[in-house]
Amino acid sequence: MKNTAAFLLMALLAAPALSQTVQTAPQLEPKATDAARADRVAQAALAAAPVWDGHNDVPEQLRIRYRNMIDDFDFRDTSGIATQTPDHAAMHTDLVRLRKGRVGAQFWSVYVSAGLPEAEAVQATLEQIDVMDRLIARYPDDLMLARSSAQVEAAMAKGRIASLLGMEGGHSIGSSLAVLRQMYRLGARYMTLTHSKNTPWADSATDVPAHGGLTPFGRDVVREMNRLGMLVDLSHVSEKTMHDTLDVAAAPVIFSHSGARGVNGHARNVPDSVLRRLPDNGGVVMVVGYAPFVDEDLRQWQSRLAAESARLKALFLGQPDMVETNITAWLAGNPQPQATIGDMADHIDYIRTMAGMDHIGIGGDYDGMDIVPVGMEDVASYPALFTELARRGYSQADLEKIASRNIMRVMKGAEAYAAAQSRQPPVETPLPESHEPS
């Protein structure tokens, strides 16, 4: 007993020293080391393969804020632009932040409203191509117009941001293959087959199905885009349109700004049935940053908010003050969930599992969205996303693929197919009878 008591006494006397030793041990050092390693891997990847982003809506901002009058627009720094255009939120994009975000190539979306009649949409698209041509020309030390993968490589080698144009919605060609060909001549290097509404030849993901996917003319659009070397973009289209396109496409497709429906069930995201087919086609999903497409909790919350708003409007007919009061109370009891940078990384994880590392890219949708994930506030945030991926175990080679090597391969594939078809005549379709001379 005496020996036991002596042992316990010695242990108690030693305890403070032991406790002090444990407290001073650098327990956070492994995590700090992991964080530093992840940052080094991400930085090395982006130095070797800068981000090639699939979708940015700066052209839309120029149209709605400035009516395309850009002489007084300073693209070097737009951080104070909300003060200049108080009816609109702050912009996500400028040259300073593109550089900070390690962006080496950008598809600028020459989007125009899907609600426009087709003839007006064609004119508006031409105006958007024009304003981007003018903006790119104003900053020759930073931006370089690119119409091919070789020109993207040349721009990156010169330290400039390769600037490509993409049409967002088939309404931009007015149901005319002739217009499609001329848009290609003017520099459009992808076209999203629909936007938020159906076209006369393709179903949108967010409209009532009208065609069961692609019509025969819609299939001709895909064939002619392949023949030209224009990338077929399947963001915004219905699942059936995705499958019909994959049935016809002879070149890799893209999703310029979409997520994985297995992570977030929004119709704008890519379903598993399509992800499984992507390796055979060779295409790429460029993961979007729009928070309601990224975070499922936020999507569900928005649905509940819309339902509650509709209920209150029906309950308090002609009483907007009562509707507003009750909505305010509902919001106080149901705070909006926040998407995070981790949620965006989850989509990349999921697409890697379903389709493979060769089929992932980045398509932020900056300046075309009003809610962004925490940590992905603007185009300067891309290094943080790549650091998060490195922390999850992605190698430098993996990150290089996601940043730009996958979309570079896709564009080269589309160009190679077009080169092989160079002797094939354009796809012809007859004009409507109303276009015949009287």
Side-chain angles (χ1 to χ4, degrees):
M1 289 292 294
K2 288 181 181 179
N3 290 339
T4 301
F7 176 80
L8 289 173
L9 179 60
M10 291 175 64
L12 288 170
L13 290 171
L18 180 60
S19 175
Q20 185 177 11
T21 301
V22 172
Q23 289 173 2
T24 57
Q27 291 199 17
L28 296 180
E29 189 173 299
K31 291 185 179 179
T33 301
D34 288 347
R37 181 204 62 80
D39 185 64
R40 285 196 302 271
V41 171
Q43 292 298 330
L46 294 177
V51 172
W52 183 342
D53 182 85
H55 194 92
N56 186 292
D57 277 301
V58 160
E60 180 187 11
Q61 297 302 316
L62 299 179
R63 188 176 188 88
I64 63 178
R65 293 174 192 260
Y66 300 104
R67 297 169 62 190
N68 286 2
M69 301 284 286
I70 61 170
D71 279 352
D72 296 327
F73 173 68
D74 185 359
F75 195 39
R76 289 167 295 191
D77 181 4
T78 65
S79 58
I81 209 165
T83 303
Q84 301 169 21
T85 53
D87 293 339
H88 305 286
M91 284 184 65
H92 300 133
T93 312
D94 55 38
L95 295 177
V96 170
R97 285 180 284 178
L98 286 166
R99 295 294 193 183
K100 186 176 180 181
R102 310 297 291 274
V103 175
Q106 180 67 65
F107 272 113
W108 303 105
S109 171
V110 291
Y111 162 79
V112 299
S113 172
L116 291 173
E118 284 194 323
E120 293 181 27
V122 172
Q123 176 180 328
T125 303
L126 293 172
E127 292 165 349
Q128 295 310 96
I129 291 174
D130 170 75
V131 75
M132 279 312 296
D133 280 349
R134 289 187 283 127
L135 184 71
I136 293 164
R138 284 183 62 185
Y139 298 95
D141 293 336
D142 293 289
L143 303 176
M144 178 174 163
L145 185 65
R147 294 180 174 179
S148 67
S149 60
Q151 290 177 353
V152 171
E153 290 172 328
M156 287 184 175
K158 294 176 181 178
R160 298 175 189 170
I161 300 166
S163 293
L164 306 97
L165 306 180
M167 292 186 290
E168 189 177 10
H171 56 293
S172 286
I173 63 167
S175 297
S176 167
L177 296 183
V179 173
L180 173 69
R181 288 187 283 269
Q182 297 312 305
M183 292 296 189
Y184 180 83
R185 283 173 176 259
L186 291 172
R189 287 300 176 266
Y190 77 61
M191 182 175 74
T192 321
L193 297 187
T194 73
H195 192 252
S196 56
K197 296 182 179 182
N198 299 335
T199 66
W201 43 271
D203 284 338
S204 167
T206 50
D207 200 353
V208 177
H211 312 299
L214 287 175
T215 68
F217 178 78
R219 290 176 170 83
D220 281 342
V221 170
V222 173
R223 293 186 185 101
E224 187 66 349
M225 291 175 72
N226 284 171
R227 188 191 69 83
L228 290 168
M230 182 186 289
L231 296 173
V232 177
D233 178 19
L234 298 180
S235 287
H236 283 288
V237 309
S238 71
E239 183 172 358
K240 186 62 168 62
T241 301
M242 294 177 194
H243 282 291
D244 284 355
T245 301
L246 290 174
D247 289 343
V248 174
V253 302
I254 66 169
F255 294 80
S256 66
H257 57 307
S258 293
R261 203 176 294 181
V263 178
N264 177 301
H266 199 287
R268 271 279 283 102
N269 288 332
V270 187
D272 290 356
S273 63
V274 174
L275 289 177
R276 293 190 191 101
R277 294 187 65 183
L278 208 55
D280 288 339
N281 169 266
V284 62
V285 178
M286 307 182 85
V287 174
V288 70
Y290 182 47
F293 297 169
V294 169
D295 180 53
E296 177 65 12
D297 290 341
L298 177 56
R299 186 179 80 92
Q300 295 287 346
W301 179 88
Q302 287 188 328
S303 176
R304 293 193 300 272
L305 174 60
E308 181 64 9
S309 178
R311 185 185 75 85
L312 291 171
K313 288 176 181 177
L315 190 62
F316 297 108
L317 291 173
Q319 303 174 72
D321 291 347
M322 287 295 293
V323 173
E324 184 178 354
T325 297
N326 282 273
I327 280 291
T328 300
W330 188 91
L331 290 171
N334 298 270
Q336 177 177 313
Q338 288 189 314
T340 68
I341 195 169
D343 294 321
M344 193 168 173
D346 289 345
H347 284 259
I348 293 173
D349 285 347
Y350 192 88
I351 296 167
R352 177 185 61 177
T353 299
M354 295 299 298
M357 191 66 69
D358 293 339
H359 306 285
I360 312 168
I362 299 295
D365 200 18
Y366 284 108
D367 280 307
M369 55 184 177
D370 54 355
I371 311 175
V372 297
V374 175
M376 292 296 297
E377 284 76 16
D378 55 31
V379 296
S381 304
Y382 286 129
L385 174 62
F386 281 81
T387 297
E388 169 63 18
L389 295 173
R391 188 190 65 77
R392 295 182 181 207
Y394 287 72
S395 68
Q396 179 178 332
D398 295 336
L399 298 182
E400 289 179 18
K401 287 184 176 184
I402 295 168
S404 56
R405 297 202 190 283
N406 284 341
I407 182 61
M408 179 68 78
R409 171 187 54 77
V410 166
M411 192 161 186
K412 285 183 179 293
E415 291 168 347
Y417 178 80
Q421 301 299 307
S422 61
R423 294 181 179 274
Q424 295 299 316
V427 178
E428 290 189 330
T429 56
L431 294 175
E433 291 186 7
S434 60
H435 287 190
E436 293 179 0
S438 57

